[in-house]
Amino acid sequence: MATSRKRVGIRDVAAAAGLSITTVSWALNGKGEVAPGTRERVQRVARELGYQPNEAARALRTGRSRILGIAVAHRESGPWEQTYLPYYRSVVAGAAIEAVEHGHAVAAIPVSQARGLEVQVPCDGLIVIDPVRDDPILAGCRRRGIPVVVDGRPLDEGFGDVPVVESDIATGMRTVLDHLRAAGAERPALLTGAERDAYTIDTERLFHNWCRRNDLPGTVRRVRAGESPVAAAESLLDRGVDAVHALNETYGNALLAAAGDRGVEVPDRLRITMMGERDPLAPGNGAGYLSLDPVAIGAACVRVLVAHLNGRRPENVTVPCRFIPPGRTPAG
Amino acid sequence: MATSRKRVGIRDVAAAAGLSITTVSWALNGKGEVAPGTRERVQRVARELGYQPNEAARALRTGRSRILGIAVAHRESGPWEQTYLPYYRSVVAGAAIEAVEHGHAVAAIPVSQARGLEVQVPCDGLIVIDPVRDDPILAGCRRRGIPVVVDGRPLDEGFGDVPVVESDIATGMRTVLDHLRAAGAERPALLTGAERDAYTIDTERLFHNWCRRNDLPGTVRRVRAGESPVAAAESLLDRGVDAVHALNETYGNALLAAAGDRGVEVPDRLRITMMGERDPLAPGNGAGYLSLDPVAIGAACVRVLVAHLNGRRPENVTVPCRFIPPGRTPAG
DNA sequence: GTCCGATCCTAAACCGTTTTGGGTCGCGGA
DNA sequence: TCCGCGACCCAAAACGGTTTAGGATCGGAC
């Protein structure tokens, strides 16, 4: 073993087969005109020598690295990790699985608020999740001319040409709120956050509109920065609401905890729904879940990006949410 | 806008600055001897021109792509998705966050049982999760001479030299079982699976040993292939056990469901623990969790791999598990 | 016999960097 | 004056593939 220190390159294969490197390249990649017998022989020799093409060289020449970058925010603090990180993970997983169908791999590239992409890697296109205002990544990609798709409505003007993959939270919110109402809600509430991102703003707006349309009083409680979500949940329950939708799983769990503390039965006396992932097979906890279906979103991003790479005109996509109604409560 | 169709390369910067490309490369990368004023000027020109180096070319020349591959299994079927996929996601997330500290990105590369890596990308090293017997990926990496680290004991002989990152389930299982005993268990049981992988085998062995050491009768129930986990859980409860540890979250959830069905209170009349992730902030469901801490494992894999890349002798690492004791049950 | 197209193959250019091995210049010491 | 030396910079050679442009061979049609 350890036949030689150097890696075996296409030249070695050509020499061993007594052919030119062009012919070897053609034979292995199925291009050009090569006699069937020759092709077969080349493949056998390559296999015997254990030849593996240098992907960097190939990427340089062809301009394609077969890598799709996905910019994942890299904050470690507090509630963020509870709510967004799981989302990102699932998007990456969905993207990775879809990408392989198109011959690509997915590279998770951490980004920081300040510097944008933390590390430069060769990639054919980039998926940007939740772009921020004046997003340095979008600007960078535009400069470098690499195709982008964003998940979540971009806040900046001037990026009207980048394709967008979005969750259909309009329909999702309607489903959830209709569910709450059908379950008997008369005083619905929303437990939301102080952050003014597109998702929060949209959720609040949809809640307001739904309440107005249904002629119901809508209570909105924002968890202030630094405030304990459980405390906020308790103060909300004090206001006599009978159904609450939570912006994310952190807030939803806070509601469940607050309800548990004061012995309010879920979902019989208090209906709770929240945005978040939930394993449908896990024992129910009385709450309903509206899942953004991040795996589907990741997959959709990849499809749009690959279409873009292949020169097809990319189109915006909306991904339906999944509603998981409350299951049976555990332990009786 | 659209000043030119071609991307701006280092030659353009050199021309604009009236220097050679060598000097530009040195100025931008902080190598060689360049007059401070010149360096500054180059940086300014490069910024003005929006120069971004071609990473593929750089990777070809330097032999480093700054990408760490992570081979994630890509099966979609049944219980696998419930238990292993979340684990992989978290490993990838942990690896990505750690990798950026070392200037690398992490590429998730799906693998198939048959073909091994599904797509070839340039990467400096590879993390292989749960290597299988006669693993084609390990063999491929050995041929190509690219560094590997595996998570989970490799089953093959002949790979004694690849560094291993492992969960310390020996200590973890002791913690869990000691917890069950302290909570009053007298007839402990293990709900395990039919798969004969290293993790299952080890878990069963550790359970047996612990029971023998503690002079307690140990009941083992394997969920057969195709059998419903809930049915298996019920048949186990029929045997009069008072504490059960489950191999994974699927089985643990089945136990919770079975207990709920027959009105057995958890954890008062039946103690349940399981391997699996659990958000410590989520409302408790009465079960204890032993987390493999996949985020920490991903991070450890990256550290070991980077050490390997930098020529340091890589060492095996064991990552402690995290035990999350049962929280309060929801809704009272 | 010559011309032609089909078929198989080759030499060389190319992709955009990094790195090697000097080259030039000005200055101080012998 | 000449040499050595440090500081600064440059031309050209890698890196390892893919692709282009073209050369050789051969059978068949005229």
Side-chain angles (χ1 to χ4, degrees):
Chain A
M1 29 229 81
T3 57
S4 141
R5 235 33 284 149
K6 282 297 286 176
R7 272 194 47 191
V8 26
I10 198 172
R11 289 163 164 82
D12 304 310
V13 178
L19 293 168
S20 75
I21 57 177
T22 307
T23 308
V24 173
S25 176
W26 278 349
L28 295 178
N29 296 322
K31 303 191 175 175
E33 314 204 18
V34 182
T38 309
R39 184 181 306 266
E40 208 171 304
R41 185 160 53 93
V42 168
Q43 284 166 346
R44 185 166 43 73
V45 170
R47 201 172 335 110
E48 286 169 4
L49 264 53
Y51 167 69
Q52 298 287 136
N54 179 318
E55 294 299 330
R58 173 179 288 186
L60 171 59
R61 176 66 229 221
T62 62
R64 288 292 184 90
S65 65
R66 297 167 163 171
I67 292 180
L68 305 179
I70 177 165
V72 328
H74 165 219
R75 289 161 279 183
E76 309 232 10
S77 57
W80 179 82
E81 189 155 355
Q82 301 300 326
T83 68
Y84 292 100
L85 194 52
Y87 177 79
Y88 289 161
R89 283 178 199 168
S90 296
V91 173
V92 172
I97 289 173
E98 177 73 23
V100 70
E101 306 297 331
H102 307 278
H104 289 264
V106 165
I109 309 175
V111 314
S112 71
Q113 197 73 27
R115 285 174 299 172
L117 293 177
E118 294 266 3
V119 30
Q120 308 280 6
V121 300
C123 61
D124 297 343
L126 200 64
I127 297 169
V128 175
I129 305 179
D130 288 338
V132 298
R133 200 168 286 286
D134 292 327
D135 201 302
I137 305 172
L138 291 183
C141 287
R142 161 153 302 174
R143 253 211 324 275
R144 301 173 58 170
I146 83 175
V148 191
V149 48
V150 303
D151 166 31
R153 185 154 45 79
L155 294 165
D156 288 337
E157 313 294 323
F159 286 98
D161 51 340
V162 318
V164 178
V165 170
E166 251 179 323
S167 283
D168 184 8
I169 57 170
T171 304
M173 280 292 284
R174 182 145 35 85
T175 306
V176 156
L177 296 172
D178 285 348
H179 157 82
L180 289 178
R181 185 165 187 223
E186 293 179 349
R187 295 182 49 81
L190 178 70
L191 186 58
T192 176
E195 200 90 22
R196 296 291 81 197
D197 56 28
Y199 165 60
T200 305
I201 292 170
D202 289 349
T203 300
E204 294 182 7
R205 183 173 44 77
L206 291 163
F207 177 74
H208 277 305
N209 290 351
W210 181 88
C211 288
R212 200 168 45 236
R213 267 204 317 279
N214 286 267
D215 217 7
L216 287 175
T219 308
V220 171
R221 174 64 160 85
R222 285 188 189 154
V223 180
R224 286 180 284 272
E227 185 184 19
S228 146
V230 175
E234 283 176 345
S235 86
L236 182 55
L237 296 191
D238 284 339
R239 290 160 74 173
V241 302
D242 59 7
V244 190
H245 176 71
L247 185 72
N248 57 43
E249 218 158 331
T250 303
Y251 297 169
N253 285 338
L255 280 167
L256 283 171
D261 270 352
R262 39 183 82 182
V264 177
E265 282 157 32
V266 178
D268 297 332
R269 286 196 30 230
L270 175 70
R271 294 126 199 112
I272 294 179
T273 58
M274 68 188 87
M275 282 285 188
E277 294 315 295
R278 172 114 192 136
D279 180 349
L281 296 189
N285 56 7
Y289 284 78
L290 184 63
S291 166
L292 257 22
D293 207 352
V295 171
I297 289 188
C301 287
V302 166
R303 278 193 299 272
V304 171
L305 195 48
V306 167
H308 200 164
L309 288 175
N310 292 340
R312 292 200 296 282
R313 177 137 210 79
E315 294 181 7
N316 292 354
V317 170
T318 66
V319 177
C321 303
R322 278 186 309 138
F323 178 59
I324 303 163
R328 127 204 88 186
T329 61
Chain B
M1 40 217 73
T3 56
S4 143
R5 234 31 282 149
K6 284 297 284 176
R7 269 195 47 190
V8 24
I10 200 174
R11 288 168 222 277
D12 303 310
V13 178
L19 293 167
S20 74
I21 57 178
T22 307
T23 308
V24 172
S25 175
W26 279 349
L28 295 179
N29 296 323
K31 302 188 176 175
E33 313 201 22
V34 182
T38 309
R39 182 179 308 264
E40 210 171 302
R41 184 159 55 93
V42 169
Q43 285 166 345
R44 184 166 44 74
V45 170
R47 201 171 337 111
E48 284 170 5
L49 263 54
Y51 167 69
Q52 298 287 135
N54 179 321
E55 295 298 329
R58 173 178 287 187
L60 170 59
R61 178 65 232 220
T62 61
R64 289 291 185 89
S65 64
R66 295 165 165 175
I67 292 180
L68 306 179
I70 179 164
V72 328
H74 167 218
R75 289 161 278 185
E76 310 231 10
S77 57
W80 179 81
E81 191 154 355
Q82 300 300 326
T83 68
Y84 292 101
L85 193 53
Y87 177 79
Y88 288 161
R89 284 178 200 169
S90 296
V91 173
V92 172
I97 289 173
E98 177 72 24
V100 69
E101 306 297 330
H102 308 277
H104 289 265
V106 164
I109 309 175
V111 314
S112 72
Q113 197 74 26
R115 285 174 298 172
L117 294 177
E118 295 266 5
V119 32
Q120 307 281 7
V121 299
C123 60
D124 298 342
L126 200 64
I127 297 169
V128 176
I129 305 180
D130 289 339
V132 299
R133 202 169 284 286
D134 293 326
D135 200 302
I137 305 171
L138 291 183
C141 287
R142 161 153 301 178
R143 255 211 323 276
R144 301 174 60 171
I146 83 175
V148 191
V149 49
V150 304
D151 165 31
R153 185 152 46 80
L155 294 166
D156 288 337
E157 313 293 323
F159 285 99
D161 51 341
V162 319
V164 178
V165 169
E166 250 179 324
S167 284
D168 184 9
I169 57 170
T171 303
M173 280 294 283
R174 182 146 33 85
T175 306
V176 157
L177 296 172
D178 285 348
H179 158 82
L180 289 179
R181 184 165 187 225
E186 293 177 350
R187 295 183 49 82
L190 178 71
L191 185 58
T192 175
E195 201 90 22
R196 296 290 82 196
D197 56 30
Y199 165 59
T200 306
I201 293 170
D202 290 348
T203 300
E204 293 183 7
R205 183 173 44 76
L206 291 164
F207 178 73
H208 278 304
N209 291 351
W210 181 88
C211 288
R212 200 168 44 236
R213 266 205 317 278
N214 286 266
D215 217 8
L216 287 174
T219 308
V220 171
R221 174 64 160 84
R222 286 189 189 153
V223 180
R224 287 180 283 272
E227 184 185 21
S228 146
V230 175
E234 283 176 343
S235 86
L236 182 56
L237 296 191
D238 284 339
R239 290 160 75 174
V241 301
D242 58 7
V244 190
H245 176 72
L247 186 72
N248 58 42
E249 217 158 332
T250 304
Y251 297 169
N253 286 337
L255 280 167
L256 284 170
D261 271 352
R262 39 182 82 183
V264 177
E265 283 157 29
V266 178
D268 296 333
R269 286 197 31 230
L270 176 68
R271 294 125 201 116
I272 294 179
T273 58
M274 68 188 87
M275 282 284 188
E277 294 314 297
R278 173 114 191 134
D279 180 348
L281 296 190
N285 57 8
Y289 284 79
L290 184 62
S291 165
L292 258 23
D293 207 352
V295 171
I297 290 189
C301 287
V302 166
R303 277 194 299 271
V304 172
L305 195 48
V306 167
H308 201 164
L309 289 175
N310 291 341
R312 291 200 295 281
R313 177 136 211 80
E315 295 181 7
N316 292 354
V317 171
T318 66
V319 177
C321 304
R322 277 185 311 137
F323 179 59
I324 302 163
R328 126 204 87 184
T329 61

